[in-house]
Amino acid sequence: MSGTNETIVLVGFMGTGKSSVSRLLARQLQLPCIDLDAEIERQEGRAIREMFAEAGEEAFRELESRVLDMILQSEGGKIIATGGGAVLREQNRNAMLKHGWVIALTADADKIVARVKNDTSRPLLQGDVEKRVAALLEERRHAYDFVHDIVDTTLLDSEEVASQILSMKEQRQ
Ligand code: S3P
């Protein structure tokens, strides 16, 4: 799918800037911005941290797939920021590829750790953040391989990432 109002789906590890870049892209392209994690929290009426603690990761993943599907199927172009683990299920990957232009934001481990180290809202990063990031990055080494395009954000701020995506978009049309 390509065109002026195409849906853009941002995927990538925690701390790669998906949410902030999605807001900038939405503003520039005058499209609605949907943050999958925020939408799940809104629908469930509780924080993701609480969902993991009370219902477990598998229950969260079920919800994540259901809400992602609903967002992808809804009318009109939009910018979607997904959670880092939304790429783990094949059904999610297929749905994203079918409905949008899927871009992975990547970053070096050090940069990710610097960005997430003081955050208590991410259940998968509790404890020794450096070790958790290293283990999950290794586990998810190929999880983002399915995408249409990749932007390495290690040396870029959110504005620079957004403008890089906008230039890529110009070239797609
Ligand atoms: C997760 C990433 C989080 C959130 C949840 C699980 C993951 O989103 O969905 O804590 O499995 O990588 P962000 O990537 O926005 O932090």
Side-chain angles (χ1 to χ4, degrees):
M1 208 220 289
S2 124
T4 359
N5 280 334
E6 81 178 326
T7 287
I8 300 178
V9 186
L10 297 181
V11 300
F13 200 83
M14 294 171 268
T16 51
K18 299 170 302 263
S19 300
S20 36
V21 172
S22 70
R23 284 192 290 270
L24 293 169
L25 286 175
R27 198 179 315 148
Q28 298 264 5
L29 296 169
Q30 299 192 308
L31 288 174
C33 180
I34 300 169
D35 190 279
L36 177 57
D37 285 345
E39 187 54 28
I40 296 168
E41 291 186 328
R42 196 186 64 77
Q43 291 195 15
E44 279 295 289
R46 57 183 171 163
I48 287 173
R49 190 171 18 88
E50 288 161 3
M51 290 177 225
F52 269 71
E54 291 158 15
E57 177 168 353
E58 213 28 51
F60 169 77
R61 297 293 173 207
E62 281 299 322
L63 268 172
E64 185 176 50
S65 294
R66 194 146 29 92
V67 177
L68 174 64
D69 215 44
M70 217 180 59
I71 295 168
L72 286 169
Q73 308 244 16
S74 65
E75 283 290 303
K78 54 189 85 64
I79 313 298
I80 306 171
T82 61
V87 297
L88 298 175
R89 289 186 166 191
E90 189 179 13
Q91 72 181 87
N92 295 356
R93 298 194 294 270
N94 289 339
M96 292 185 221
L97 290 172
K98 178 170 172 207
H99 292 281
W101 176 27
V102 186
I103 305 172
L105 305 187
T106 62
D108 289 354
D110 288 353
K111 199 62 187 232
I112 290 174
V113 170
R115 288 177 185 160
V116 300
K117 68 173 183 289
N118 295 321
D119 180 26
T120 55
S121 70
R122 291 180 168 104
L124 296 179
L125 297 182
Q126 298 316 298
D128 184 327
V129 176
E130 260 172 64
K131 281 203 182 122
R132 293 296 299 140
V133 167
L136 279 172
L137 272 177
E138 174 59 21
E139 213 176 277
R140 297 180 178 177
R141 197 166 68 247
H142 296 296
Y144 304 101
D145 290 357
F146 74 102
V147 301
H148 295 118
D149 285 293
I150 296 178
V151 177
D152 183 353
T153 72
T154 307
L155 301 174
L156 305 177
D157 63 25
S158 300
E159 308 266 347
E160 291 167 324
V161 176
S163 69
Q164 190 163 317
I165 292 173
L166 291 172
S167 322
M168 288 157 70
K169 182 170 163 55
E170 297 272 298
Q171 281 160 29
R172 277 167 70 79
Q173 281 157 14

